[in-house]
Amino acid sequence: MNSTCEPSRGGDGRDAKAGKDTVRRHNLSLVLRAVYEEGEATRAAVAARVGLTRAAVSSLVEQLLAGGFLSERGKTFSGQAGRPGTALRVADTGPAGLGVEVNVDYVSVCVVDLAGTDRVRLTEHRDNRGVPPKEVLARAARMARRALEEAAGRGLRAVGARLALPGLVSGGSVRQAPNLGWDRVGAEELFAAGLGVLAVGVDNEANAAALAELWFGEAGRASGARSFVYLTGEIGVGGALVVDGSLLRGAHGFAGEIGHLVVDADGPRCRCGSRGCLERYAGQAALLRGAGIEESAGAAGVAELAARARRGEPRAVEALERAGRMLGLAVSGAVNLLDPDAVVLGGVFRPLMEWLGPAAERELAERVVSGLWAAGSGRLRASSSSGDAARGAAAVVVRGVLADPAGHAAPPLG
Amino acid sequence: MNSTCEPSRGGDGRDAKAGKDTVRRHNLSLVLRAVYEEGEATRAAVAARVGLTRAAVSSLVEQLLAGGFLSERGKTFSGQAGRPGTALRVADTGPAGLGVEVNVDYVSVCVVDLAGTDRVRLTEHRDNRGVPPKEVLARAARMARRALEEAAGRGLRAVGARLALPGLVSGGSVRQAPNLGWDRVGAEELFAAGLGVLAVGVDNEANAAALAELWFGEAGRASGARSFVYLTGEIGVGGALVVDGSLLRGAHGFAGEIGHLVVDADGPRCRCGSRGCLERYAGQAALLRGAGIEESAGAAGVAELAARARRGEPRAVEALERAGRMLGLAVSGAVNLLDPDAVVLGGVFRPLMEWLGPAAERELAERVVSGLWAAGSGRLRASSSSGDAARGAAAVVVRGVLADPAGHAAPPLG
């Protein structure tokens, strides 16, 4: 038999091909991410950045252009002698990510392109409490399909979807979402059934929002805070931990539940089963109630609260200061435990920062052992407006494309 | 000029040599760590484990034997056909680590060998409060010199020293150690001055104890808990976070201060400047005071407290249950934030676990959102007796040797 004559050579040949494929896939990602991070770059600049030859980069760029991952943009002069280079950017058509946030009183859906830019956004305010999870997720899937159609009209093709929910998420299921009243709900399956063929992942809503902050917000990108605690004020209070630029998910995926730090051991019962949790004092429901505004007023109620505080209405100001103290108390615990660069407040805390912030900072100044959190340290910050859970969830999908464009090409690259 | 004829060749030759050196250093460590992890292994077993040829491993082993990093032990039959292999172990003479724990009411010094075994141990109980830091560290250095002399008599040669202190440590200095009353003390410099030439590093005491638990205790090695929160009951309460087998140190090295989680916002003033910190309720001083035992009784007082609780004396039992509730309250916060596999209680909590544990577990069952911490879950554990801060600190030094034996050889290897 011929095949027995060269058994190991044949094997080696396959291995060598597999090795070359791996290197090529890796280098495609290297080049694509270099362009993404530069925003706009010539082939020469990419070559200098990634440490490959100009010829190798040109070949990889051709494949990425053909696959629709990159686009070219006019001629750019390098400012140095020699022929002008063409500027490359990541494509604003082609592969995209779908992100869906299902929260207690709204659902928000977005499609982001490879650059992470929000290109289609649909939001519906509606109380999801008391509605069967299946119905909530089916409605979210209908919204998602509308968003995908609109995105398709702009030349965007979603390669995956990610769902963000305010609860403990594990392996595609919601173990518990106290404020939605959900208990062991197979969210991935229910949502995917309504959506169709697209691959779906599920994450905690605060985790997704924290990733948006890390990738697009000031806390991450601009000011260089690579370790931060993220709190998001919703009906409850969500939380997430970013350590050295990555989410700290915990042993079972349940880390970050800062909303359930206890600020008063004998306080009122929380939906989670404990007592005196932070969210009983600083969640949207508690804030509105404390200020004498109807809890069900939702986003309009938050705007009303801010307006009353701006007019100096004592009840509104007091409710916000009390919540700020409780926030400061819980956050000081998180800071003493984790020693982050910053703490970022998102969701409804953002428009209320003017009143919550100073009260929280007083607690931090008194209670953080290191003394690094004195008032005026600037370590307690409002989130940037660019970061929300739907965008973060969608960005997880496109990050997957940046990490392996060859795995997301249609038709295959090369 | 001759040299200009082969400029790049000469350079390449040097690069190639540097590259070969790096590979050799790496492989020396690979082989040494393989023997360390196996406890005892033949050259063939090491080769199988690390994926190098038998010949390469034999050559590396010879160098490690000559450098005193490994020792041989009789002949071992492999149980298979072929000639017997000699069993290798890491040497119990030669390179060693010095660890020193300076705590509020004691100083403990140890020398560990390459296997991490405590070979020399000196402990002095003495109240260090009110004594100038310089004097405390000079005395610790004298103890360390005695330990090093004794170790030298056993053929052990310390290649570095590490100091562990109950406070916030940054760059060799203690920023703040409230229970010692230290504020900005150049501990590394002061200790090194008394010790002589040995390289010294400084770490937080709970961090060092947590590493000992990770490397030598049940929480790490045996049961496979790679993420745990470590609390150590001393005069105060120290804490450390281990995530995926590594210390989480925080942005400035100050993470893990679980002793300053607030369990009662309006509670008594703590030495750190805050109010109602855990250590005001569960530190050794608070425990003894609560049970009506003289605070200055130290270790004897803790033994007395355990004896009284065993006899069922109500005041002792109540003091312990109260401390256990407060521990459970703070620990539930840490668990909700970090979602660890386990929480390990060390220091004086260990002998008092019988009374502290059940009260703490009731809080955890009620307050941890995931519901994974119900009583009987076994996630709250006493530390193993093998782990303390001095041993952990010394082990950091010998881990450095395991990671790069060539860098710690005298005379140089190879």
Side-chain angles (χ1 to χ4, degrees):
Chain A
M1 282 158 67
N2 254 350
S3 64
T4 56
C5 297
E6 300 172 31
S8 82
R9 255 230 226 150
D12 284 349
R14 277 193 295 276
D15 286 355
K17 181 162 189 331
K20 243 175 113 175
D21 268 7
T22 306
V23 170
R24 189 186 64 101
R25 281 177 85 142
H26 172 80
N27 286 342
L28 282 166
S29 167
L30 210 59
V31 168
L32 181 57
R33 280 180 291 140
V35 176
Y36 170 81
E37 274 154 31
E38 294 283 333
E40 191 168 300
T42 62
R43 288 164 175 79
V46 171
R49 185 178 169 123
V50 302
L52 293 170
T53 65
R54 175 72 200 268
V57 166
S58 286
S59 155
L60 294 160
V61 163
E62 290 317 309
Q63 291 179 52
L64 291 166
L65 286 166
F69 299 98
L70 289 179
S71 65
E72 276 180 307
R73 220 195 141 187
K75 297 281 178 191
T76 297
F77 286 86
S78 65
Q80 299 172 318
R83 65 198 185 92
T86 310
L88 300 164
R89 310 185 64 162
V90 296
D92 60 4
T93 55
L98 171 70
V100 179
E101 177 185 5
V102 172
N103 218 314
V104 177
D105 57 353
Y106 63 91
V107 173
S108 197
V109 168
C110 75
V111 177
V112 307
D113 60 22
L114 268 188
T117 308
D118 233 43
R119 297 288 298 284
V120 178
R121 169 73 70 157
L122 302 173
T123 301
E124 279 183 14
H125 291 275
R126 180 201 287 255
D127 199 325
N128 290 315
R129 287 170 287 198
V131 183
K134 192 177 170 174
E135 199 176 316
V136 172
L137 290 165
R139 195 185 306 132
R142 280 197 299 277
M143 285 174 66
R145 286 204 308 273
R146 269 195 287 140
L148 289 174
E149 276 169 33
E150 184 144 348
R154 301 182 192 185
L156 290 162
R157 163 181 65 85
V159 300
R162 210 157 168 91
L163 183 62
L165 289 152
L168 301 181
V169 173
S170 173
S173 283
V174 175
R175 183 184 174 90
Q176 200 190 354
N179 288 310
L180 274 168
W182 292 13
D183 193 48
R184 295 175 198 266
V185 172
E188 181 172 292
E189 202 180 333
L190 290 170
F191 181 73
L195 189 64
V197 292
L198 217 52
V200 176
V202 187
D203 207 346
N204 171 273
E205 161 261 328
N207 279 352
L211 288 175
E213 186 68 29
L214 175 69
W215 293 331
F216 309 116
E218 284 169 28
R221 210 156 189 174
S223 76
R226 303 288 296 164
S227 296
F228 60 90
V229 174
Y230 186 89
L231 282 82
T232 169
E234 309 290 340
I235 296 293
V237 174
L241 314 176
V242 174
V243 175
D244 294 335
S246 296
L247 275 181
L248 192 160
R249 291 186 177 272
H252 316 89
F254 303 151
E257 289 295 331
I258 197 168
H260 299 284
L261 284 196
V262 173
V263 292
D264 179 2
D266 302 318
R269 184 70 67 185
C270 179
R271 282 178 205 275
C272 76
S274 181
R275 288 180 176 282
C277 295
L278 172 63
E279 74 173 35
R280 292 286 312 191
Y281 300 88
Q284 176 183 308
L287 279 167
L288 296 182
R289 202 184 324 119
I293 298 170
E294 182 54 51
E295 267 182 60
S296 61
V302 173
E304 172 64 22
L305 174 58
R308 290 190 191 179
R310 200 166 293 117
R311 289 197 300 270
E313 279 191 23
R315 195 167 171 192
V317 171
E318 276 161 28
L320 286 166
E321 286 189 348
R322 178 158 183 253
R325 280 199 307 277
M326 293 308 201
L327 269 173
L329 184 56
V331 166
S332 71
V335 169
N336 279 328
L337 263 184
L338 293 159
D339 181 25
D341 290 316
V343 170
V344 179
L345 300 182
V348 302
F349 296 145
R350 219 172 71 77
L352 302 172
M353 196 67 186
E354 184 178 341
W355 303 279
L356 296 169
E361 283 193 328
R362 279 193 294 276
E363 294 290 321
L364 285 161
E366 183 183 351
R367 297 188 187 275
V368 174
V369 182
S370 69
L372 294 173
W373 289 67
S377 69
R379 295 180 182 278
L380 182 74
R381 302 174 194 167
S383 73
S384 55
S385 57
S386 47
D388 82 333
R391 189 179 178 198
V396 170
V397 175
V398 297
R399 289 251 151 183
V401 178
L402 295 176
D404 182 23
H408 294 86
L413 288 189
Chain B
M1 281 157 65
N2 254 349
S3 65
T4 56
C5 297
E6 302 174 32
S8 83
R9 252 227 227 152
D12 284 349
R14 277 193 295 277
D15 286 356
K17 182 162 188 331
K20 244 173 112 177
D21 268 6
T22 306
V23 170
R24 189 185 65 99
R25 282 176 86 143
H26 172 79
N27 286 343
L28 282 166
S29 167
L30 210 60
V31 168
L32 181 57
R33 280 181 291 139
V35 176
Y36 170 81
E37 274 155 31
E38 293 283 333
E40 191 168 298
T42 63
R43 288 165 175 78
V46 170
R49 186 180 169 122
V50 302
L52 293 171
T53 65
R54 174 72 200 269
V57 166
S58 285
S59 155
L60 294 161
V61 163
E62 290 317 308
Q63 291 177 52
L64 291 167
L65 285 167
F69 298 97
L70 290 178
S71 64
E72 277 181 306
R73 222 195 139 187
K75 295 282 177 190
T76 297
F77 287 86
S78 66
Q80 299 173 320
R83 65 198 183 91
T86 309
L88 299 164
R89 309 186 64 162
V90 296
D92 59 4
T93 55
L98 171 70
V100 178
E101 178 185 3
V102 172
N103 218 312
V104 178
D105 56 353
Y106 64 90
V107 173
S108 197
V109 168
C110 75
V111 177
V112 307
D113 59 22
L114 268 188
T117 309
D118 233 42
R119 297 288 298 285
V120 177
R121 169 74 68 158
L122 302 174
T123 301
E124 279 184 14
H125 291 276
R126 181 200 288 257
D127 199 325
N128 290 315
R129 286 171 287 199
V131 183
K134 192 176 169 177
E135 198 177 317
V136 172
L137 290 166
R139 196 186 305 132
R142 281 196 298 276
M143 286 174 66
R145 286 204 309 270
R146 270 196 286 142
L148 290 174
E149 276 169 33
E150 184 145 348
R154 301 181 192 186
L156 290 162
R157 165 181 64 85
V159 301
R162 211 159 167 91
L163 183 63
L165 289 153
L168 302 181
V169 173
S170 174
S173 284
V174 175
R175 184 184 173 90
Q176 200 188 356
N179 289 310
L180 275 169
W182 292 13
D183 192 48
R184 294 174 198 265
V185 172
E188 182 172 291
E189 201 180 333
L190 290 170
F191 181 72
L195 189 64
V197 293
L198 218 52
V200 176
V202 187
D203 206 345
N204 171 273
E205 160 263 328
N207 279 352
L211 288 175
E213 186 69 28
L214 175 69
W215 291 332
F216 309 117
E218 284 169 29
R221 209 153 190 176
S223 76
R226 304 287 295 164
S227 296
F228 60 90
V229 174
Y230 186 90
L231 282 81
T232 170
E234 310 289 340
I235 297 293
V237 174
L241 314 176
V242 174
V243 175
D244 294 334
S246 295
L247 275 180
L248 192 160
R249 292 184 176 272
H252 316 89
F254 303 150
E257 290 294 330
I258 196 168
H260 299 284
L261 285 197
V262 174
V263 291
D264 179 2
D266 302 318
R269 184 68 69 183
C270 179
R271 283 178 205 277
C272 77
S274 180
R275 289 180 176 282
C277 296
L278 172 63
E279 72 173 37
R280 292 286 310 192
Y281 301 87
Q284 178 184 307
L287 279 167
L288 296 182
R289 203 184 323 117
I293 298 171
E294 181 55 49
E295 269 183 59
S296 60
V302 174
E304 173 64 21
L305 173 58
R308 289 189 192 179
R310 200 165 292 117
R311 289 197 301 268
E313 278 191 25
R315 194 167 172 194
V317 171
E318 276 161 28
L320 286 165
E321 286 189 348
R322 179 159 183 252
R325 281 200 305 279
M326 293 309 201
L327 268 172
L329 185 57
V331 166
S332 71
V335 168
N336 279 328
L337 264 184
L338 292 159
D339 181 25
D341 291 314
V343 170
V344 178
L345 300 182
V348 304
F349 296 145
R350 220 172 70 78
L352 301 172
M353 196 68 185
E354 184 177 341
W355 303 279
L356 296 169
E361 282 192 329
R362 280 193 293 276
E363 294 290 321
L364 285 161
E366 182 183 351
R367 298 189 186 273
V368 175
V369 182
S370 69
L372 294 174
W373 289 68
S377 70
R379 294 180 184 278
L380 182 73
R381 302 174 194 165
S383 73
S384 57
S385 57
S386 48
D388 81 333
R391 189 178 178 200
V396 170
V397 175
V398 297
R399 291 250 151 183
V401 178
L402 295 175
D404 182 22
H408 293 87
L413 287 188

